[in-house]
Amino acid sequence: MKPSKGWRLLGSIKWRVFTACAVLVAVVLGVLWVFQTGLLNTFYRSIKVKQLQSCMQQIIKNIDDPELDSLLEEISAEKQLCIVITDETGFVLHSQKEMRDCLIHRMDALTYVSAYYLTLKNGGAYFEQTQQLWENDKAETAAEPAQTGDGTKLLLYMAVTAQADGSPRFILLNTKMFPVTAAVETLQVQLTWITAIMLVLAFLMALLLSYMVSKPIRRINESAKQLAAGNYQVTFSEGGYREVQELAQTLNYAARELSKVDGLQRELVANVSHDLRTPLTMIVGYAEVIRDLPNENTPENIQVIIDEATRLSDLVSDVLDLSKLQSGAETLQVEVFNLTESIRSLLKRYGKMTDYSITFQAETDAWVKGDPLKMTQVVCNLVNNAINYTGPDKRVALRQTTAANRVRVEITDTGAGIEPSKLNDIWERYYKVDKTHKRAQVGTGLGLSIVKSILDLHPGTTYGVMSELGKGSCFWFEMERQDPPLPEGKE
Ligand code: ADP
């Protein structure tokens, strides 16, 4: 079932990026709202309290300093607070007045004394008092700072300390806390605007980002559709960010490979159908002649039919072998086996079948690791070629040499040789050097590509051909030598 348009939009990269941006904006703004409006008063107050505490610490530290007055003046001006220091009888020793509606400069000696004892009772420091305290003496219940007419609150901090000579000193600090309501209202309006602007920006950002992210993907998608439709020449544009570049490179590689496979398939179909048709035409032709003309029912004519049928059968099995090898469907049955022995037993079969002189020289038996059947096929194909292309002396020579840990097998004929420029091409499928050559009709043109495919599947194996025009060719391959396996029961 195809997803509806709405669902497709929701699943699009544009929508997802926008949602992500919107969530980010919402979280950031939410945190800002809480901190800027809800907690502003709490923050302001705690900053003020900390300020008072640190001033108090500074004064207590310098209580014996002869320059105390100038220090108090400095603190009071800088921090905008009033300072009074008295003795235990309420006698004012130092005083700094910075604010108009100050609380501590309105107190009389008696109030100082009662505040002094209240502070002592509280453990030496007392914080935040309302005006009622001084009227009703209800210190413990009073929690809110005193308020002036315009809503400004007064903070009071008192502490008792002793001078070096032991005489007690009562320090009172008083500062103002301005109302934050106006600031909060301003911030709320600002934040509303910021929220709206940020949402618009998030939307624009989502559009831009999704455009940047999705444009190269859309381009690749277009090309992929063409590839799916069978246009293997299509190229995937590699512009954009790294991931897209890598994707485009992979797809370009895939397209090239598909195009190669497609070309090979066409070539294979064309070649195979051509190669199948020729012997079939011969078979049908000869069979018709034998049917229609009783005199033509000769062993020679029947031999032509048998030869052509054999050629067909060879061709079909070669094509199958090669396609299995090249598609990777064929897995090797690897074992350590006696290569020399397998060549010997192969040549025994030739001895019975041909009137060619096939010789084999081997100093010693060599063991190799590989698929014995496939390696025999390699030697068999090379020997077949040598027989097919050797000179009139009908001689084919096989030689096995060993050096260090390698074994080399050479198959030499005395034929016309191969032109140096063609030495690379002969390993290709269906390649025949001389298409008019009588012998060329014998082969399928697949023998050497089967050899190449099999040898390529054996790691560490090298192969090649040396050829001299008019003198003959020498096909060779080299493999790593292995130790012969121990006879069973002797491990
Ligand atoms: P074919 O079935 O035609 O022999 P191959 O793949 O075995 O196919 O060989 C490809 C071509 O290489 C042959 O058609 C032939 O032209 C050339 N060739 C192979 N072996 C020899 C050789 N021993 N001497 C000369 N030419 C050879």
Side-chain angles (χ1 to χ4, degrees):
M1 208 175 68
K2 254 190 148 184
S4 71
K5 217 176 161 196
W7 272 115
R8 286 230 312 272
L9 181 73
L10 282 183
S12 76
I13 201 162
K14 203 181 294 177
W15 180 253
R16 284 174 189 217
V17 174
F18 174 67
T19 323
C21 289
V23 169
L24 183 72
V25 167
V27 170
V28 171
L29 291 177
V31 173
L32 265 181
W33 271 91
V34 170
F35 274 78
Q36 300 264 302
T37 60
L39 297 177
L40 189 63
N41 199 35
T42 321
F43 271 99
Y44 179 48
R45 195 174 146 148
S46 85
I47 288 167
K48 278 282 178 191
V49 168
K50 283 222 172 70
Q51 202 180 56
L52 279 183
Q53 279 171 338
S54 91
C55 291
M56 184 62 89
Q57 289 297 321
Q58 212 180 340
I59 297 168
I60 290 175
K61 229 163 90 191
N62 296 289
I63 197 75
D64 291 311
D65 192 340
E67 303 291 312
L68 184 62
D69 269 328
S70 62
L71 174 75
L72 295 181
E73 196 178 338
E74 201 181 300
I75 294 177
S76 146
E78 192 188 325
K79 304 284 188 282
Q80 289 291 302
L81 48 89
C82 290
I83 307 170
V84 171
I85 300 181
T86 71
D87 61 11
E88 73 273 32
T89 63
F91 178 73
V92 175
L93 299 166
H94 305 272
S95 165
Q96 282 297 330
K97 186 169 162 88
E98 197 60 36
M99 307 178 307
R100 235 172 0 101
D101 310 313
C102 167
L103 202 62
I104 52 178
H105 282 98
R106 273 189 271 147
M107 294 179 181
D108 53 20
L110 202 62
T111 324
Y112 285 135
V113 173
S114 70
Y116 171 76
Y117 284 107
L118 176 73
T119 309
L120 269 186
K121 195 173 140 202
N122 206 50
Y126 194 80
F127 189 67
E128 281 189 35
Q129 298 292 332
T130 64
Q131 226 156 0
Q132 288 107 40
L133 165 71
W134 319 112
E135 289 152 15
N136 308 332
D137 208 14
K138 285 195 275 174
E140 285 87 351
T141 54
E144 273 300 300
Q147 289 205 2
T148 61
D150 62 355
T152 306
K153 292 177 181 178
L154 293 173
L155 277 184
L156 183 61
Y157 188 25
M158 302 176 291
V160 175
T161 184
Q163 275 189 324
D165 59 9
S167 45
R169 287 292 174 262
F170 182 40
I171 309 163
L172 300 100
L173 303 180
N174 189 191
T175 189
K176 271 186 192 171
M177 250 183 68
F178 297 99
V180 292
T181 352
V184 168
E185 275 166 19
T186 318
L187 282 172
Q188 274 172 350
V189 175
Q190 271 191 357
L191 279 173
T192 313
W193 276 100
I194 291 176
T195 309
I197 292 169
M198 289 303 275
L199 279 177
V200 173
L201 278 182
F203 183 68
L204 291 180
M205 181 108 153
L207 280 186
L208 185 75
L209 267 179
S210 60
Y211 178 75
M212 276 162 49
V213 172
S214 67
K215 194 179 165 212
I217 297 180
R218 266 186 282 127
R219 243 180 3 225
I220 286 186
N221 192 23
E222 286 309 312
S223 308
K225 279 183 192 157
Q226 288 189 37
L227 182 68
N231 176 7
Y232 301 122
Q233 304 312 318
V234 69
T235 41
F236 291 86
S237 125
E238 289 180 17
Y241 40 99
R242 188 168 49 82
E243 286 80 358
V244 165
Q245 273 175 18
E246 283 171 8
L247 176 65
Q249 280 163 7
T250 314
L251 287 169
N252 275 330
Y253 175 70
R256 276 198 306 276
E257 289 302 302
L258 277 175
S259 138
K260 260 195 244 167
V261 171
D262 186 55
L264 283 179
Q265 202 177 337
R266 279 169 210 270
E267 189 191 329
L268 188 78
V269 171
N271 284 327
V272 169
S273 52
H274 173 264
D275 281 18
L276 287 179
R277 207 174 303 125
T278 320
L280 277 175
T281 317
M282 299 269 280
I283 292 170
V284 173
Y286 272 78
E288 279 175 352
V289 168
I290 292 168
R291 181 196 64 196
D292 297 340
L293 306 170
N295 289 348
E296 292 297 325
N297 190 353
T298 59
E300 292 80 32
N301 283 351
I302 290 177
Q303 189 57 47
V304 172
I305 294 182
I306 293 172
D307 286 349
E308 292 303 316
T310 315
R311 231 187 112 190
L312 266 184
S313 155
D314 287 351
L315 177 70
V316 171
S317 54
D318 275 5
V319 168
L320 278 180
D321 280 354
L322 191 62
S323 64
K324 270 198 265 172
L325 280 168
Q326 294 194 334
S327 68
E330 182 95 40
T331 45
L332 294 186
Q333 307 294 318
V334 179
E335 59 184 77
V336 174
F337 69 97
N338 186 334
L339 178 69
T340 326
E341 189 49 46
S342 66
I343 297 179
R344 265 190 222 115
S345 65
L346 171 77
L347 295 184
K348 254 185 228 154
R349 281 184 263 153
Y350 275 97
K352 289 182 194 140
M353 281 158 51
T354 67
D355 53 347
Y356 285 75
S357 131
I358 305 174
T359 55
F360 180 38
Q361 264 181 42
E363 304 147 7
T364 170
D365 276 21
W367 297 74
V368 294
K369 193 171 175 187
D371 184 325
L373 274 180
K374 294 274 170 293
M375 287 309 297
T376 309
Q377 193 179 353
V378 166
V379 181
C380 180
N381 284 8
L382 294 176
V383 172
N384 281 349
N385 278 354
I387 292 175
N388 285 340
Y389 297 99
T390 196
D393 58 358
K394 294 193 171 182
R395 283 214 337 246
V396 172
L398 276 86
R399 204 156 71 99
Q400 180 206 285
T401 49
T402 45
N405 61 341
R406 295 189 70 82
V407 50
R408 179 183 172 100
V409 175
E410 293 176 349
I411 296 108
T412 316
D413 63 65
T414 58
I418 306 162
E419 270 181 50
S421 62
K422 311 249 164 96
L423 284 179
N424 280 333
D425 299 333
I426 53 172
W427 305 92
E428 295 297 319
R429 303 202 265 189
Y430 294 108
Y431 188 85
K432 292 178 183 179
V433 173
D434 180 3
K435 299 191 170 67
T436 58
H437 192 277
K438 169 172 77 78
R439 294 284 192 190
Q441 292 172 13
V442 180
T444 58
L446 294 176
L448 285 182
S449 39
I450 293 177
V451 168
K452 175 176 156 45
S453 304
I454 294 177
L455 292 179
D456 283 344
L457 285 177
H458 285 81
T461 303
T462 49
Y463 55 90
V465 53
M466 298 175 294
S467 189
E468 209 176 318
L469 279 179
K471 283 207 166 164
S473 316
C474 169
F475 283 81
W476 61 268
F477 66 88
E478 267 184 33
M479 296 182 89
E480 243 167 64
R481 258 182 99 177
Q482 306 289 330
D483 293 331
L486 289 173
E488 267 181 45
K490 287 203 181 173
E491 277 174 39

